[in-house]
Amino acid sequence: MTDNDSAAAADENLDVSNLPGGAKAAVEAVLMVLDQPATATELAAGLNLTVAVVERLLAELQREYNGYTVKAPDMDVASDAGFSASPRGFELRNIAGGWRIYSRTDFADIVGRFVLEGQTARLTQAALETLAVIAYRQPVSRARVSAIRGVNVDSVVRTLTQRGLVEDAGTDPESGAVLYRTTSYFLERMGIGSVAELPQLSPHLPGLEGIEEFYDAGRM
Amino acid sequence: MTDNDSAAAADENLDVSNLPGGAKAAVEAVLMVLDQPATATELAAGLNLTVAVVERLLAELQREYNGYTVKAPDMDVASDAGFSASPRGFELRNIAGGWRIYSRTDFADIVGRFVLEGQTARLTQAALETLAVIAYRQPVSRARVSAIRGVNVDSVVRTLTQRGLVEDAGTDPESGAVLYRTTSYFLERMGIGSVAELPQLSPHLPGLEGIEEFYDAGRM
Amino acid sequence: MAESKPGFEVRLANFTGPFDLLLGLIAKHQLDITEVAIATVTDEFIKYIRKLQKLGEDWALDEASEFLVIAATLLDLKAARLLPAGEVEDDEDIALLEARDLLFARLLQYKAFKQVAGLIGETLEQESRRFPRQVALEEHFAAMLPELVWKHTPGQFAKLAEAALEPKAPKPTEVGLGHLHGSAVSVKEQAEILGLRLQLGNPLSFRALIADAESTLVVVARFLALLEMFRDKVVAFDQLSPLGDLTVHWTADGQDWSTENLSEEYEEQP
């Protein structure tokens, strides 16, 4: 794909403009999967572009999504004076300096209806168990919770985060994995003042260290 | 586009075609908030559209994102014969029966710098082979997989379960052994719609079915 | 190359050439069949068949079944050579030959899975280069979610945590009879191990006694050993609740005990 075979620091050498769709598509690719808003500076650093270029691309994408401009096939550059197309179902917003793609506000009713469908007010057993593990072993990574529960917990952790019961507690300095902890909303729902007030578990349960060894041995 | 004017319930009354960007943008808006793949049927239900219409819109979006077609401003409908634009930084894929937005492969290196999570460690050869046997022989017991692979697979199966690639599929009525099958997450990770899309096993070994019976008879 | 079928060639440490020639040489006793690595032949053959399929040859299936027949014969030959008397007559010999065929069939099957495993690995690798959009719900949508129903007291929640944190016992799996031939586990040896541990004085749970068992077979052997030791009145069992932990006590204080006393019924080698 790229001819960075001679790249000493392969990372630094990547030229996004050689990729299909160019730098603009690269910015788009990142924005599309990014959970947290990113600043132009953060984007520029990861993309090997200058902040000025990223800012121009962001503005271009924003206009494109809003339907004000479309890159015509026979033009080399997008033009503001270009023809107008329909707006997309999503928009690029800059909130407090961070950029993120959201669903377009016009569709809030439809999206809201879609989101609510099939939502229950109760946590599933899987979600409860995962919450219990996080509560007693926090701060803990998803991989560790998976190891303890024996199943993949990614989507359950997302649900718990969405429900405001658990939150990001920084990253593990060693593995770089995101760690999770329970929130004050969780304490509120439990009716306790702090995690220290959670009932003690029976002492025969292996500590986190024990579990770690036990399960890591099985990891391939 | 749809003439559902006779819809009784108020929230059934919403006609997405009146909104900017129309039904296509509405589909797009919903795709933006999905955290797991959605089927055309689910989308249709939420959007008050027929499955056929949703399927057509999804196909149109897919082509658009791939840069094969763009709705020209002076045309009323998107045309396949339309001009070709640059591919977007993302793509729309139909996987494990559901639709979902992905960043385009070309930008994997760049996106990977921003998205640390979800990047899972590669599976070992042992795990891959075990996964292959389970995928092709499901539902299958660990003992059966062990017999085929010639080694104990307990810890590997545990790893695969933790990774969410295989799951418990009940017990064998005869032996009482736990049976395993692959998950829809496995399909997602493979980028396929169903296990039927896995490469055929028989070309690699003509007459395998015969061997299987022979082998089973020999085991008892 | 295109004008005639290339034919299957074998490349071994001690022979390179067409498969037919290999068979001929073996038949004429010019090559020792016991020196032929069947696994390598199989590898080569599968490679060959795949090449044919890529070329779109539709007789690949015929070739394959032919190969199976020949390979089986080859195995017969090899087995016959390895048998002390060099003859394949009585039932035992035939059974042995069948076992070898079986082994070979399994080898082929194993190779097939190995290959698709490679393909699955490649696909997973490729797919991991795509990242799905799975962002958290936008705040205004999250705010629309119905208020959570929460009915757990801290005590109930702790119970839930205990259950979730309890190390999971491996799920039951059937006892593969195949292993019995592979590695014999001696009940006597296991009894020896258990005896030494229990004579230290502390009662131990069955779970603890099998914690280091490297296979199901060892677990079974230890279980049988305990039954034997119970019969010899050197151990006693305690179980507080049905399906609860089984505790084993050593009861043969000071008394001489040796595994030599164990009955022989499990020690018969097939």
Side-chain angles (χ1 to χ4, degrees), chain B residues 32-35 91 93 100-105 108-109 111-112 115 119 122-123 128-129 131-133 136-137 141-143 147-149 168 175-178 180 186 188-191 199-201 203-206 208 211-212 214-215 218-219, chain C residues 46 49-50 53 60-61 64-65 68 98 101-102 105-106 108-110 112-135 137-138 141 168 170-179 214-216:
Chain B
M32 283 307 120
V33 298
L34 293 182
D35 72 347
E91 54 186 336
R93 307 176 71 210
R100 195 178 192 180
I101 301 261
Y102 284 80
S103 69
R104 200 169 284 283
T105 329
D109 292 338
V111 175
V115 186
Q119 286 181 317
R122 219 175 286 182
L123 292 173
L128 278 175
E129 283 171 24
L131 183 58
V133 175
Y136 283 89
R137 288 288 175 263
S141 69
R142 285 196 310 254
I148 292 173
R149 293 214 42 240
D168 199 315
S175 67
V178 179
Y180 291 87
F186 165 75
E188 250 176 68
R189 296 309 305 257
M190 287 290 291
Q200 286 287 304
L201 188 57
H204 298 280
L205 183 54
L208 186 68
I211 282 175
E212 188 79 350
F214 180 47
Y215 154 79
R219 269 186 76 229
Chain C
I46 288 174
I49 282 287
R50 294 194 69 189
Q53 279 168 337
L61 185 69
S65 29
L68 281 179
E98 276 173 2
D101 274 356
L102 212 62
R106 286 173 60 173
L108 282 178
Q109 173 174 258
Y110 174 64
F113 278 117
K114 233 177 149 60
Q115 277 177 338
V116 288
L119 291 177
I120 288 180
E122 278 166 34
T123 312
L124 287 175
E125 178 74 30
Q126 252 164 21
E127 285 299 313
S128 73
R129 300 182 59 77
R130 292 179 159 107
F131 298 85
R133 178 174 170 95
Q134 44 186 16
V135 305
L137 209 50
E138 295 165 30
F141 293 130
K168 313 277 181 296
K171 291 188 176 151
T173 186
E174 60 201 283
V175 179
L177 297 176
H179 298 155
E214 61 271 27
S215 72
T216 315

Side-chain angles (χ1 to χ4, degrees), chain C:
Chain C
M1 230 219 260
E3 86 282 9
S4 73
K5 80 180 196 183
F8 172 41
E9 292 218 359
V10 202
R11 265 173 296 276
L12 300 173
N14 50 355
F15 172 85
T16 298
F19 189 45
D20 289 342
L21 179 59
L22 174 71
L23 292 179
L25 288 176
I26 292 167
K28 285 183 217 142
H29 300 285
Q30 284 169 0
L31 189 67
D32 189 349
I33 177 71
T34 60
E35 302 282 309
V36 175
I38 304 284
T40 316
V41 176
T42 308
D43 264 341
E44 298 262 340
F45 182 75
I46 288 174
K47 230 184 274 166
Y48 167 71
I49 282 287
R50 294 194 69 189
K51 201 171 78 194
L52 291 190
Q53 279 168 337
K54 261 188 209 130
L55 296 172
E57 301 283 359
D58 50 6
W59 38 265
L61 185 69
D62 295 337
E63 277 268 314
S65 29
E66 195 186 347
F67 175 76
L68 281 179
V69 174
I70 296 170
T73 319
L74 205 63
L75 274 167
D76 273 16
L77 279 167
K78 190 164 177 172
R81 264 291 274 114
L82 290 169
L83 283 173
E87 52 193 34
V88 192
E89 262 152 33
D90 60 34
D91 286 350
E92 247 179 66
D93 290 348
I94 288 170
L96 188 59
L97 278 182
E98 276 173 2
R100 304 260 164 156
D101 274 356
L102 212 62
L103 222 61
F104 186 67
R106 286 173 60 173
L107 183 68
L108 282 178
Q109 173 174 258
Y110 174 64
K111 300 260 172 207
F113 278 117
K114 233 177 149 60
Q115 277 177 338
V116 288
L119 291 177
I120 288 180
E122 278 166 34
T123 312
L124 287 175
E125 178 74 30
Q126 252 164 21
E127 285 299 313
S128 73
R129 300 182 59 77
R130 292 179 159 107
F131 298 85
R133 178 174 170 95
Q134 44 186 16
V135 305
L137 209 50
E138 295 165 30
E139 266 166 42
H140 57 282
F141 293 130
M144 291 164 66
L145 294 175
E147 175 76 356
L148 197 64
V149 174
W150 183 271
K151 291 193 293 195
H152 288 78
T153 64
Q156 288 168 330
F157 189 71
K159 279 225 175 60
L160 206 72
E162 294 210 347
L165 289 166
E166 186 76 42
K168 313 277 181 296
K171 291 188 176 151
T173 186
E174 60 201 283
V175 179
L177 297 176
H179 298 155
L180 292 174
H181 303 291
S183 58
V185 176
S186 156
V187 173
K188 211 172 257 179
E189 261 172 45
Q190 298 303 324
E192 188 91 48
I193 295 171
L194 297 179
L196 286 173
R197 286 188 197 174
L198 290 165
Q199 284 180 56
L200 291 176
N202 288 330
L204 290 168
S205 69
F206 183 64
R207 195 191 302 277
L209 287 172
I210 57 163
D212 62 333
E214 61 271 27
S215 72
T216 315
L217 208 56
V218 174
V219 175
V220 171
R222 290 198 182 164
F223 180 69
L224 292 175
L226 281 175
L227 291 182
E228 287 293 302
M229 292 160 83
F230 183 69
R231 194 159 71 183
D232 288 355
K233 301 197 175 61
V234 296
V235 298
F237 301 126
D238 257 337
Q239 194 173 28
L240 294 176
S241 60
L243 302 177
D245 263 5
L246 182 71
T247 313
V248 188
H249 309 264
W250 185 256
T251 56
D253 276 29
Q255 181 187 320
D256 274 349
W257 176 80
S258 107
T259 53
E260 291 313 308
N261 305 336
L262 285 187
S263 92
E264 297 287 311
E265 67 184 279
Y266 299 112
E267 300 306 311
E268 304 287 6
Q269 290 297 329

Side-chain angles (χ1 to χ4, degrees), chain B:
Chain B
M1 184 178 313
T2 54
D3 49 356
N4 52 355
D5 46 302
S6 62
D11 94 333
E12 299 297 312
N13 241 337
L14 198 84
D15 188 351
V16 288
S17 59
N18 290 338
L19 292 171
K24 195 162 68 176
V27 172
E28 242 176 7
V30 171
L31 288 173
M32 283 307 120
V33 298
L34 293 182
D35 72 347
Q36 52 192 7
T39 63
T41 316
E42 286 163 353
L43 291 168
L47 289 158
N48 238 1
L49 297 170
T50 66
V51 175
V53 167
V54 169
E55 277 172 350
R56 182 175 58 75
L57 294 172
L58 287 166
E60 244 174 65
L61 287 172
Q62 196 173 36
R63 279 195 307 270
E64 252 177 66
Y65 298 162
N66 290 341
Y68 296 134
T69 185
V70 150
K71 185 174 167 175
D74 51 347
M75 283 156 79
D76 272 348
V77 286
S79 145
D80 286 16
F83 50 77
S84 152
S86 316
R88 304 225 71 109
F90 49 88
E91 54 186 336
L92 176 58
R93 307 176 71 210
N94 181 6
I95 280 162
W99 294 83
R100 195 178 192 180
I101 301 261
Y102 284 80
S103 69
R104 200 169 284 283
T105 329
D106 309 271
F107 304 104
D109 292 338
I110 296 158
V111 175
R113 292 183 203 166
F114 292 88
V115 186
L116 291 167
E117 293 199 64
Q119 286 181 317
T120 43
R122 219 175 286 182
L123 292 173
T124 58
Q125 189 60 25
L128 278 175
E129 283 171 24
T130 303
L131 183 58
V133 175
I134 294 175
Y136 283 89
R137 288 288 175 263
Q138 57 187 310
V140 65
S141 69
R142 285 196 310 254
R144 185 75 192 280
V145 181
S146 283
I148 292 173
R149 293 214 42 240
V151 292
N152 183 295
V153 297
D154 291 5
S155 77
V156 180
V157 169
R158 196 166 60 217
T159 306
L160 292 172
T161 314
Q162 276 169 24
R163 293 278 199 94
L165 295 166
V166 308
E167 65 188 1
D168 199 315
T171 51
D172 185 285
E174 262 177 62
S175 67
V178 179
L179 299 174
Y180 291 87
R181 65 172 169 228
T182 53
T183 59
S184 61
Y185 177 68
F186 165 75
L187 297 178
E188 250 176 68
R189 296 309 305 257
M190 287 290 291
I192 56 177
S194 81
V195 273
E197 285 174 42
L198 285 171
Q200 286 287 304
L201 188 57
S202 37
H204 298 280
L205 183 54
L208 186 68
E209 290 65 34
I211 282 175
E212 188 79 350
E213 276 161 37
F214 180 47
Y215 154 79
D216 272 351
R219 269 186 76 229
M220 296 300 117

